[in-house]
Amino acid sequence: MTDNLGQLDHRYLWHPFTQMEEWLSQEPLIIERGEGNWLIDTEGRRYLDGVSSLWCNVHGHCNPRLDRALSEQAGRIAHSTMLGMSNPPAIELAEKLCGIAPAGLSRVFYAENGASAVEIALKMAYQYWQHSGEVRRTKFVGLDLAYHGDTLGAVSVGGIETFHAAFEPLLFEALHSPTPFPYRSPSGDCAPENCRDYCLSKMDALLAENAGGVAAVIVEPLVQGAAGIIVHPSGFLAGVRELCDRHEVLLICDEVATGFGRTGAMFACEHEDVSPDLMVVGKGLTGGYLPLSAAVATEEIFSAFLGRYDEFKTFFHGHTYTGNPLACAVGLENLKIFDDEQTLESLMGKIERLELRLEKFRGAANVGDVRSKGLMAGIELVADPLTGEMFPPGERVGGRVCEAAREFGVAIRPLGDVVVLMPPLSITLEEIDLLCDAVEQASVRVLQ
Ligand SMILES: *Cc1c(COP(=O)(O)O)cnc(C)c1O
């Protein structure tokens, strides 16, 4: 059975972000079932889901409440369109989402994945200024090393060389401002406050140079996930908000990775008391069950699109499955679980335990930097911790450590040579220990 599935996978599939030549040379891991924080393959082997099935699982797999919400909605209707009509789960989830979102965000526009919701936020920001008579505000400012998804607009404002360079001729021009990454500081000064102030002053200058021409700044608040779990120095996000206010540009916060408790607060913006003009959510919105995302806008942005039909201020954007009832029903139940089980309150002890365990990696052989915020952590492996010199990419050190971790019962996926730990919020203290033990043993196996 498994052999056959493996052969069929190799014969018919093309996997995302995967060098298929490498993939075709290995036995595929085929996950058949889930149980709480665990994945179970077709051979019955169990793996702790150390990256929440790509950063989206929240309350565990086969969660009885989410399962029930899904099947109950399936018994009513699986899909009806949001173009010209509505549906109860989409309405109720929107109300709930606005209730927990940072102050001022009050209008929900749904999509199915993070990248599409980023596109929506970009188009809304651009058109908001068009409708407001500031037609020269057409540019966007993104951070270096930013990741906002893989569609062309999201890639345009992104800044990850390896993923994005190939598509350069297809992109619209965006402005880029340096990332406050103390370990590889753009100014050379690694003190977090200096690194932060340097990056803020660069952004200030960029906004001044382009005065009247910028529609919005887009950032991943607090943590740049795909760049390798880069944790911004505290005060950076609040500083960006202040710059946006001063230069009168909109702020888009991409909370696709950081939203829904990941950093210890419901949204990362809360840590710095920041309210963006547009917030993008995805990944954890349905607890990791179904593809659903949203751009959440202020009433001010929403109002700019109001008018008579023949003024053509309508936001001409939508997807076939916008506001899908199955996905919204699960998203709603996901948020109810946060309330009923006090998910955020339960995180404190888990975050402490993870931080304690991560301390052990600091100063270990080949560990250059250890970064974390909440249940989002990265251990950067380097050839020389003194100079920060990286391993040659061909050695695939991060990849090999993660493959070795499977033998210790843990499924993780690296970002280059950064070992990423991002377990479901429902992980237990014992499972955190198991996760960290496995990474430790796997690193020793690969690096010695
Ligand atoms: C994953 C991610 C996206 C893209 O989401 P998809 O659902 O994969 O399109 C966008 N922004 C951030 C910050 C992400 O981590």
Side-chain angles (χ1 to χ4, degrees):
M1 174 68 178
T2 306
D3 281 359
N4 189 33
L5 279 175
Q7 283 165 8
L8 293 174
D9 175 292
H10 280 171
R11 173 66 187 79
Y12 290 108
L13 281 177
W14 191 338
H15 288 261
F17 278 104
T18 300
Q19 175 40 258
M20 289 303 290
E21 185 168 310
E22 208 171 89
W23 175 265
L24 294 173
S25 71
Q26 299 166 352
E27 272 297 304
L29 169 59
I30 306 175
I31 301 302
E32 192 175 63
R33 288 181 299 126
E35 217 178 86
N37 304 317
W38 293 80
L39 301 168
I40 302 161
D41 74 5
T42 42
E43 302 288 314
R45 286 178 298 228
R46 298 165 64 86
Y47 307 87
L48 182 64
D49 190 355
V51 289
S52 301
S53 293
L54 218 72
W55 314 1
C56 59
N57 195 280
V58 178
H59 304 294
H61 299 280
C62 289
N63 180 288
R65 288 187 56 176
L66 297 179
D67 286 0
R68 197 173 331 115
L70 176 59
S71 64
E72 284 180 7
Q73 182 58 39
R76 294 184 200 106
I77 189 169
H79 184 67
S80 61
T81 182
M82 289 272 284
L83 278 65
M85 50 185 82
S86 200
N87 70 74
I91 296 167
E92 286 165 15
L93 175 59
E95 182 199 20
K96 188 93 183 131
L97 203 49
C98 292
I100 60 170
L105 296 169
S106 59
R107 290 283 170 177
V108 176
F109 196 108
Y110 292 114
E112 300 82 40
N113 57 73
S116 300
V118 166
E119 302 287 340
I120 290 166
L122 296 174
K123 286 170 92 173
M124 281 178 175
Y126 163 80
Q127 218 173 5
Y128 164 77
W129 291 114
Q130 296 296 306
H131 292 333
S132 308
E134 296 222 30
V135 294
R136 282 179 51 243
R137 289 191 178 273
T138 57
K139 292 185 193 145
F140 290 91
V141 173
L143 292 178
D144 287 336
L145 307 174
Y147 181 76
H148 298 292
D150 293 329
T151 53
L152 290 173
V155 170
S156 298
V157 293
I160 298 189
E161 189 70 13
T162 337
F163 303 169
H164 299 157
F167 303 107
E168 188 70 43
L170 306 183
L171 308 180
F172 64 72
E173 197 192 326
L175 304 167
H176 283 93
S177 195
T179 290
F181 181 14
Y183 180 60
R184 298 187 188 281
S185 178
S187 68
D189 183 340
C190 297
E193 295 75 21
N194 297 344
C195 178
R196 172 195 68 204
D197 294 345
Y198 170 83
C199 293
L200 287 172
S201 71
K202 286 286 182 184
M203 187 182 283
D204 191 9
L206 192 64
L207 290 170
E209 264 166 48
N210 292 278
V214 175
V217 172
I218 179 166
V219 296
E220 293 159 84
L222 267 66
V223 187
Q224 286 183 234
I229 319 294
I230 294 174
V231 180
H232 295 161
S234 87
F236 179 72
L237 181 66
V240 171
R241 176 72 269 186
E242 198 265 321
L243 288 177
C244 290
D245 288 342
R246 187 138 50 79
H247 293 274
E248 293 181 55
V249 306
L250 300 177
L251 173 62
I252 304 173
C253 283
D254 176 353
E255 291 256 12
V256 172
T258 50
F260 306 103
R262 183 48 66 189
T263 66
M266 187 55 97
F267 297 106
C269 288
E270 293 172 24
H271 291 287
E272 304 213 345
D273 265 325
V274 162
S275 283
D277 300 287
L278 286 152
M279 177 173 80
V280 182
V281 292
K283 292 193 170 99
L285 176 55
T286 60
Y289 261 54
L290 288 164
L292 182 70
S293 62
V296 191
T298 60
E299 212 60 17
E300 168 155 2
I301 291 175
F302 173 76
S303 306
F305 289 78
L306 300 177
R308 288 191 325 275
Y309 179 78
D310 59 3
E311 288 179 81
F312 299 109
K313 286 184 169 181
T314 304
F315 186 52
F316 290 108
H317 184 107
H319 299 284
T320 307
Y321 287 101
T322 293
N324 173 258
L326 288 176
C328 290
V330 175
L332 181 62
E333 192 67 10
N334 172 42
L335 297 183
K336 287 182 180 165
I337 296 176
F338 270 92
D339 291 341
D340 298 343
E341 299 185 0
Q342 305 223 299
T343 304
L344 292 178
E345 291 75 3
S346 77
L347 290 181
M348 214 100 90
K350 300 178 190 191
I351 294 168
E352 269 171 26
R353 175 70 68 102
L354 180 62
E355 284 173 354
L356 189 73
R357 291 300 315 255
L358 287 172
E359 272 309 312
K360 283 183 69 180
F361 286 93
R362 269 180 230 281
N366 296 112
V367 172
D369 194 24
V370 179
R371 307 181 279 270
S372 78
K373 183 79 195 169
L375 290 185
M376 199 173 185
I379 301 166
E380 180 163 346
L381 302 173
V382 293
D384 182 354
L386 284 180
T387 61
E389 186 195 334
M390 297 180 182
F391 287 108
E395 286 191 21
R396 289 183 57 251
V397 169
R400 279 159 50 214
V401 168
C402 292
E403 279 157 24
R406 284 189 193 164
E407 291 169 41
F408 301 101
V410 160
I412 46 177
R413 181 176 168 88
L415 290 158
D417 288 337
V418 178
V419 175
V420 176
L421 304 181
M422 216 185 290
L425 305 190
S426 53
I427 193 166
T428 65
L429 297 181
E430 295 70 40
E431 287 166 346
I432 290 173
D433 286 340
L434 190 149
L435 178 60
C436 294
D437 287 342
V439 172
E440 215 174 294
Q441 286 162 310
S443 319
V444 167
R445 176 171 302 180
V446 170
L447 292 164
Q448 284 180 0

